[in-house]
Amino acid sequence: MDASGTVVDSKVDISPGSPNRRQSVRRPVKKPKSKDISQELKLRRSKLTDKNKYHTDDLLAEKAFQKPEQNSSEIEKDRMKIKSPLKSPMKTPMKTPSKMPTKGVSQMSLKSQQTRISTRAGTNVDAYIESSTDDESEEEYPERRNESTTDLPSEYWQIQKLVKYLKGGNQTATVIALCSMRDFNLKLETCQMAIKDVGGLELLINLICTEDVKCKIGALKILKEISDNPHIRLSIVDLGGLEELVKILEDGAMELKCLAAETIANVAQFRRARRQVRQHYGIPKLVAILEYADMPADKVDSNKLVIDLTPLDVAKAGALALWSCSKSDRNKEAMQRAGIFPLLAKLLKSDKQSVLVPAVGTLQECASRPEYRKLIRQEGMIEDFVAGLTNESEELKMHCASAIFKCAEEPETRNLVREYNGLT
């Protein structure tokens, strides 16, 4: 290095003709690069923050030592005072969902979907429920209560033994087992679930597909009794029992038609079951059963197995099944195409209360649509509804009043009700 601060590097010249074998080469000294200003600012700021943090903790510890009676809230206030105010980027407060604007949804649609729920404490809770285009609601079944084997009665095990005889017995043993099962109270849930738990529903549905009339009647009578249980209804639909019940409606035996229609009336209490009855063309077959009301007694089969069964009882069973199926709009249209209204008008002239209740119940379900209200008025059923208001049956009065309420939307119907003294 010379006096000017330049480093002198010596380089050997190996050429043979060179007079000076060593010569000096000067090169400049590289100066250190300056650090980025922004990085230095960040480093200084972080050091300052750590220093203030340690300083704040020391002061708080000292204050806590000097004033032991100071509570935690006061210490927190002191911490906020001592801390150096470092500017932080501002954050916009988030809006609550209730104040956020709704795009594409009008206030009227929100109000229509809003439902007010009242709790036990008396407070009101606003719940928004999605509106459904289908007016039919699927039935919700309660969960089955799990019972231990020690809590089950003796009937539970006796019924399961009889179901085992259905599996391996011959025709005579099958009929005897079916008759023995009917001796139990099949309205009890324990007896109903005993048949289901051991696989008896599959056997009963297989029996109604056989050619033996006695086995069919015995199986249908048991299915009619136990189909009041919502779990059994669902299982019958899952096993394809509704399709077999609709096929029985084509049978010539009057007893089989009556039992099959009564079972369909119990099973068709939820949407999927009503849809399957329509898809298997059961609506026209049920409407055809209503024609038994006009059948004279001399044309009834003398070899019938159920002695007390009358043609009017068969028509009543068909009306019960149609009543259950009439909760669907598509089934109402299928009933109209099958010509149900003239047949129901004849049933309204009956004197039996057991026939009037399902007939009026079906009509008041159909009266929810304007085209059906017009047909009811044309068939002269308003007079029958007004006459039913004076009946002794409370159930019949209720259905007659409901039918008048739905039909009274037209002024012609209101005039007819006044003419038939329905207001007095």
Side-chain angles (χ1 to χ4, degrees), residues 29-86:
V29 180
K30 295 182 180 181
K31 296 182 180 180
K33 295 183 179 180
S34 61
K35 294 184 178 180
D36 191 3
I37 300 177
S38 59
Q39 293 181 358
E40 291 184 1
L41 290 176
K42 289 181 181 180
L43 181 61
R44 292 180 183 179
R45 187 169 183 177
S46 62
K47 290 181 179 180
L48 181 61
T49 304
D50 297 339
K51 183 177 180 181
N52 291 339
K53 180 179 178 182
Y54 299 146
H55 182 62
T56 302
D57 295 339
D58 294 340
L59 290 177
L60 289 174
E62 184 179 354
K63 281 198 171 188
F65 180 76
Q66 292 177 358
K67 299 179 181 180
E69 68 276 1
Q70 192 176 14
N71 53 18
S72 60
S73 62
E74 294 178 355
I75 295 176
E76 185 66 24
K77 291 180 181 179
D78 293 338
R79 179 185 290 271
M80 298 300 296
K81 292 179 182 179
I82 298 174
K83 280 184 177 181
S84 60
L86 296 176

Side-chain angles (χ1 to χ4, degrees), residues 65-315:
F65 180 76
Q66 292 177 358
K67 299 179 181 180
E69 68 276 1
Q70 192 176 14
N71 53 18
S72 60
S73 62
E74 294 178 355
I75 295 176
E76 185 66 24
K77 291 180 181 179
D78 293 338
R79 179 185 290 271
M80 298 300 296
K81 292 179 182 179
I82 298 174
K83 280 184 177 181
S84 60
L86 296 176
K87 294 183 180 181
S88 59
M90 296 181 63
K91 297 182 180 180
T92 57
M94 295 182 63
K95 296 183 180 180
T96 58
S98 60
K99 296 181 181 180
M100 291 181 67
T102 57
K103 297 182 179 179
V105 181
S106 61
Q107 292 296 112
M108 294 300 294
S109 62
L110 289 177
K111 289 182 180 179
S112 62
Q113 296 178 3
Q114 186 175 2
T115 304
R116 181 79 60 179
I117 302 174
S118 179
T119 59
R120 292 185 179 179
T123 58
N124 292 327
V125 181
D126 293 334
Y128 290 92
I129 302 176
E130 295 182 0
S131 60
S132 176
T133 56
D134 193 358
D135 58 345
E136 301 171 351
S137 58
E138 191 77 18
E139 183 176 345
E140 295 182 0
Y141 300 118
E143 294 183 1
R144 181 184 173 186
R145 181 168 54 90
N146 294 327
E147 297 180 356
S148 60
T149 56
T150 57
D151 298 336
L152 296 174
S154 60
E155 290 83 357
Y156 182 89
W157 309 109
Q158 293 175 6
I159 289 178
Q160 289 197 345
K161 290 181 181 179
L162 293 174
V163 174
K164 293 180 181 178
Y165 284 111
L166 294 177
K167 294 181 179 180
N170 54 13
Q171 182 178 356
T172 305
T174 300
V175 175
I176 294 175
L178 291 173
C179 295
S180 301
M181 289 176 64
R182 293 193 64 243
D183 293 337
F184 292 93
N185 186 7
L186 297 179
K187 294 293 183 181
L188 295 177
E189 185 180 2
T190 304
C191 299
Q192 294 171 353
M193 301 313 295
I195 298 174
K196 180 179 181 297
D197 293 343
V198 78
L201 287 178
E202 293 87 342
L203 295 175
L204 293 174
I205 293 175
N206 290 334
L207 286 176
I208 65 177
C209 301
T210 60
E211 299 297 332
D212 188 82
V213 179
K214 293 182 180 180
C215 292
K216 277 187 175 182
I217 291 179
L220 284 173
K221 285 183 177 180
I222 295 176
L223 287 174
K224 184 190 73 173
E225 295 292 331
I226 65 177
S227 57
D228 289 337
N229 191 305
H231 300 283
I232 301 252
R233 295 173 194 162
L234 189 61
S235 299
I236 290 175
V237 175
D238 293 337
L239 294 172
L242 269 179
E243 183 178 0
E244 301 300 330
L245 292 172
V246 171
K247 291 180 180 178
I248 293 176
L249 297 176
E250 299 177 350
D251 199 301
M254 188 172 62
E255 296 87 349
L256 295 176
K257 289 183 179 181
C258 182
L259 293 172
E262 290 178 347
T263 308
I264 291 174
N266 293 335
V267 176
Q269 297 295 328
F270 58 101
R271 180 174 57 186
R272 185 154 60 95
R274 293 190 289 267
R275 184 173 61 247
Q276 286 194 11
V277 173
R278 182 182 68 253
Q279 291 175 349
H280 296 301
Y281 306 99
I283 300 297
K285 298 173 184 177
L286 290 172
V287 173
I289 293 179
L290 299 180
E291 298 178 358
Y292 275 86
D294 297 334
M295 182 181 294
D298 55 352
K299 291 186 178 181
V300 179
D301 187 9
S302 59
N303 297 325
K304 60 183 181 181
L305 298 177
V306 183
I307 301 176
D308 298 333
L309 188 66
T310 62
L312 197 59
D313 294 332
V314 182

Side-chain angles (χ1 to χ4, degrees), residues 293 312-313 315-316 319 347-348 350-360:
L312 197 59
D313 294 332
K316 169 197 166 185
L347 288 180
L348 291 180
S350 176
D351 298 333
K352 286 192 175 183
Q353 174 186 336
S354 59
V355 179
L356 289 174
V357 171
V360 178

